[in-house]
Amino acid sequence: MSGVESLLAETDAPPTGDHEVLDVRDLPPPQPLKRTLETLTDLDEEGVLVQVNDRVPQHLFPRLDDRGFVYDTVEAEDRAVTAIWRE
């Protein structure tokens, strides 16, 4: 199990093999926020988007709330993994 997979398993995300990983660690602000929201527009009803970032994406959370998404973040030493899905 990869580092992302093991962190994803620690979240409350529904267990599904249908997830997309979006690594935004090397992007400057506001690109991580923008890319994540753009990617979510194509997310399947049963899908889970996994954002890998170098920090907890605090500015993303209100946007996810406004759009009706559920999310959970797990922090590791070098990254924060946020699982995002529809309820």
Side-chain angles (χ1 to χ4, degrees):
M1 186 180 292
S2 74
V4 170
E5 295 288 330
S6 63
L7 290 173
L8 179 59
E10 293 181 37
T11 71
D12 290 332
T16 176
D18 186 20
H19 66 270
E20 180 177 347
V21 177
L22 179 64
D23 190 339
V24 297
R25 288 179 284 186
D26 294 332
L27 299 177
Q31 288 303 311
L33 173 69
K34 185 176 178 182
R35 293 254 178 103
T36 301
L37 293 175
E38 288 171 353
T39 303
L40 284 171
T41 62
D42 296 328
L43 186 67
D44 292 336
E45 284 294 319
E46 305 279 320
V48 176
L49 177 63
V50 181
Q51 186 211 62
V52 182
N53 204 330
D54 60 351
R55 64 183 69 95
V56 175
Q58 296 294 334
H59 298 288
L60 177 63
F61 299 153
R63 307 275 174 93
L64 295 175
D65 291 335
D66 290 347
R67 288 165 174 79
F69 285 97
V70 182
Y71 52 90
D72 192 16
T73 300
V74 176
E75 292 181 82
E77 291 178 17
D78 61 340
R79 63 187 155 211
V81 173
T82 302
I84 306 164
W85 66 97
R86 290 184 172 90
E87 196 162 33

